[in-house]
Amino acid sequence: MTRLPGDPGPLRRARYIMGFRLPPENLSWVRHDLMDAGWRGRMMVRHLVLMLPVCVGLALLPAEAGIRVAVVALALLSSAFVVVISAGDIRRARLRQHGLPVPDEPRPGPPPY
């Protein structure tokens, strides 16, 4: 895969995954990441990368193997569920964080008739 203009290096990408703002030279990459097709999949991959060390830490806690597996599964599944149901809100917040235009937001309240 070819690199996109403004593609951040590994260190900046790690900071982006943790929720930090990227500098202005990476805005075209951020726009692609949050606006182009497949943004939900990329968001889930970022979340799983972020949760991997947390799950490893939970798996290393002293307990029976079955309990450790259940705790890791609960943490991973519940956090993934939260990301799935709030993906649009997370995306809008990240766009605002980087000063990019936010797509049309649905109006609160019942739909117009």
Side-chain angles (χ1 to χ4, degrees):
M1 182 174 173
T2 60
R3 290 178 59 112
L4 296 169
D7 196 2
L11 186 59
R12 283 188 181 171
R13 193 174 292 220
R15 287 178 48 88
Y16 178 74
I17 288 172
M18 289 186 281
F20 290 95
R21 184 179 177 166
L22 290 179
E25 60 261 19
N26 299 116
L27 284 184
S28 62
W29 181 84
V30 172
R31 184 179 299 110
H32 158 74
D33 186 54
L34 295 172
M35 299 293 287
D36 287 353
W39 66 269
R40 289 179 195 271
R42 288 188 295 272
M43 184 177 291
M44 282 307 300
V45 168
R46 276 195 310 273
H47 172 71
L48 293 176
V49 167
L50 188 61
M51 282 299 293
L52 183 64
V54 173
C55 289
V56 168
L58 290 172
L60 294 176
L61 291 174
E64 295 179 19
I67 293 174
R68 287 187 295 192
V69 169
V71 167
V72 168
L74 178 65
L76 193 58
L77 291 174
S78 61
S79 65
F81 177 73
V82 169
V83 170
V84 167
I85 64 171
S86 60
D89 294 331
I90 294 170
R91 175 181 146 187
R92 284 189 289 278
R94 297 296 297 260
L95 286 168
R96 282 190 206 101
Q97 176 187 24
H98 286 87
L100 295 170
V102 179
D104 292 336
E105 295 183 11
R107 298 174 118 181
Y113 293 103

